[in-house]
Amino acid sequence: MLVLTRRSNQSVMIGQDIVVTVLEIRGDQVRLGIRAPREVSVHREEVFAELGRANRLAAEVRSDDEALLPAPPPPRG
Amino acid sequence: MLVATERFGDLEVPDDRLLSFPQGLPGFPDARRFALVDGRDSGVFYWLQSVDDAALAFLCAVPWAFFPDYALDLADDEEAALGLSSADQAMVLSILTVHREEQRITANLLGPVVVNQVTRTGRQVVLGGADDLLQVPLPA
């Protein structure tokens, strides 16, 4: 892992078009600004862990749970 | 194809209902093949039944049936990964979670399942958005 020291308002570049800027440092929190092309998706690492947890919970569904489903509202129009 | 399932017994699934998820799903990286099975209210609820794991299934809903204003803006890399060239190629499903004790059902609007209906390849994508989209109650 590359380790760099940056101050507030300093940036690092990843390749030629991704810029990560340290916006603010407060206590143990860092606010980062990320500028990247649209085709690059940027997510907090935890999001994937959260999705995994949500999927495992959802997978506990039983076939008779369908009875609990609400009727879909009529389409607006 | 005959698919053995814990919830529904053996299901005969036509080939055009067999979906491939090359990356699996978060939490289930090995679940790469699913059968799309009609659920209640045709066209609204579906089951995604794992072909390889009889015990694994997800109850899903077409999100716009309940959330007509739901906007889904796929990042270009997600579109490319799915090989989508137009919006009507895509089928979108939200995985539902049944909170049985609370008699409450929530939809995962943060990570919808997007299927390219032409290639029958799917992927659970992550939308930019607030964490509270992870468990949105279905309006009763």
Side-chain angles (χ1 to χ4, degrees), chain A residues 4-75:
Chain A
L4 297 170
T5 301
R6 302 275 66 194
R7 296 179 188 283
S8 212
N9 293 315
Q10 292 184 326
S11 302
V12 294
M13 289 195 68
I14 301 171
Q16 305 228 331
D17 40 28
I18 300 176
V19 183
V20 180
T21 305
V22 178
L23 297 176
E24 187 186 5
I25 306 165
R26 196 192 302 157
D28 63 354
Q29 284 201 326
V30 178
R31 268 159 52 84
L32 299 175
I34 296 154
R35 201 166 70 217
R38 212 187 105 79
E39 66 270 16
V40 174
S41 40
V42 178
H43 303 293
R44 290 175 302 111
E45 187 185 20
E46 303 92 274
V47 169
F48 289 93
E50 284 165 17
L51 270 191
R53 273 197 298 276
N55 284 347
R56 280 191 292 270
L57 189 62
E60 291 172 16
V61 65
R62 299 191 307 222
S63 53
D64 59 1
D65 283 337
E66 269 192 322
L68 302 174
L69 292 172

Side-chain angles (χ1 to χ4, degrees), chain A residues 38-41 43-44 47-48 50-73 76, chain B residues 7 26-28 39-41 45 47 56-58 65-66 68-69 73-74 76-77 95-98 100 105 108 124 126 131 134 138-139:
Chain A
R38 212 187 105 79
E39 66 270 16
V40 174
S41 40
H43 303 293
R44 290 175 302 111
V47 169
F48 289 93
E50 284 165 17
L51 270 191
R53 273 197 298 276
N55 284 347
R56 280 191 292 270
L57 189 62
E60 291 172 16
V61 65
R62 299 191 307 222
S63 53
D64 59 1
D65 283 337
E66 269 192 322
L68 302 174
L69 292 172
R76 287 191 306 205
Chain B
R7 291 173 183 77
F28 299 93
R40 224 193 61 194
D41 301 312
F45 297 109
W47 291 88
L56 180 61
F58 298 99
F66 292 94
D69 299 325
D73 183 14
L74 292 183
D76 290 354
D77 66 329
I95 295 180
L96 303 180
T97 301
V98 178
R100 224 165 281 120
I105 296 174
N108 179 350
Q124 189 171 15
V126 186
D131 286 359
L134 195 59
L138 275 195

Side-chain angles (χ1 to χ4, degrees), chain B residues 123-138:
Chain B
R123 177 179 163 91
Q124 189 171 15
V125 305
V126 186
L127 302 183
D131 286 359
D132 57 6
L133 289 175
L134 195 59
Q135 291 195 343
V136 182
L138 275 195

